Amino acid sequence: VYVGAVAVLFLFVVMMLDINFVELRRGAAQYVPIGAVVGIVLLAELALVFGAWAFGPSAGQSLAAATPLNVTNTAALGDLLYTKYAYAFEAAGVILLMAMIGAIVLTHRSRPEVRRQKIGVQIARERADTLTLVKVKSRQGIEEKIEVR
């Protein structure tokens, strides 16, 4: 669920930022050597981490623990998430919330051509500015035209 939410969030940001990709690609070639070095370093770190995990003396001991007999996989996963990894789960939720707020802030544009509600002006208005009382006699219409604002 979280991976899908993050993917939709990134898609939303990319669509709303109106990025000029032609201009972005123009200067990208100068960063290829630095990017390649960083990529190789990260790949080496991942290989070391996964190699130490797979071939270490206690590899798989935590995975070998069986679930109790009358517990479904969903219940076991929920129990593990909300007890042992509760803080990590909450931290992931806070990070996603901050990412969503950041995306909204980045994509919010001020458009002067769009009419917006001005609450302060509405509250500060006077009765005479918005209301016109007209006495109409029975069976007669209004002869003068009233402007409505």
Side-chain angles (χ1 to χ4, degrees), residues 3-127:
V3 172
V6 170
V8 168
L9 186 68
F10 285 148
L11 182 64
F12 174 72
V13 169
V14 168
M15 288 175 63
M16 295 298 288
L17 284 180
D18 195 24
I19 299 170
N20 187 356
F21 288 106
V22 174
E23 188 176 320
L24 251 169
R25 290 186 185 134
R26 197 173 292 149
Q30 66 183 359
Y31 299 112
V32 170
I34 297 170
V37 169
V38 170
I40 290 170
V41 169
L42 287 176
L43 188 63
E45 287 177 359
L46 283 173
L48 286 172
V49 167
F50 284 121
W53 178 76
F55 299 115
S58 63
Q61 283 183 357
S62 63
L63 297 176
T67 57
L69 283 178
N70 295 325
V71 177
T72 63
N73 287 340
T74 307
L77 180 65
D79 185 43
L80 193 63
L81 259 181
Y82 292 118
T83 56
K84 187 175 180 183
Y85 298 110
Y87 291 123
F89 187 70
E90 292 296 322
V94 168
I95 289 170
L96 283 172
L97 176 67
M98 289 188 316
M100 182 177 64
I101 292 171
I104 291 170
V105 167
L106 285 174
T107 57
H108 182 72
R109 296 183 190 143
S110 177
R111 298 180 182 156
E113 69 273 1
V114 177
R115 292 181 63 186
R116 302 217 184 268
Q117 183 179 12
K118 298 176 184 172
I119 297 172
V121 173
Q122 289 177 340
I123 292 173
R125 69 183 182 178
E126 296 293 323
R127 181 178 183 187

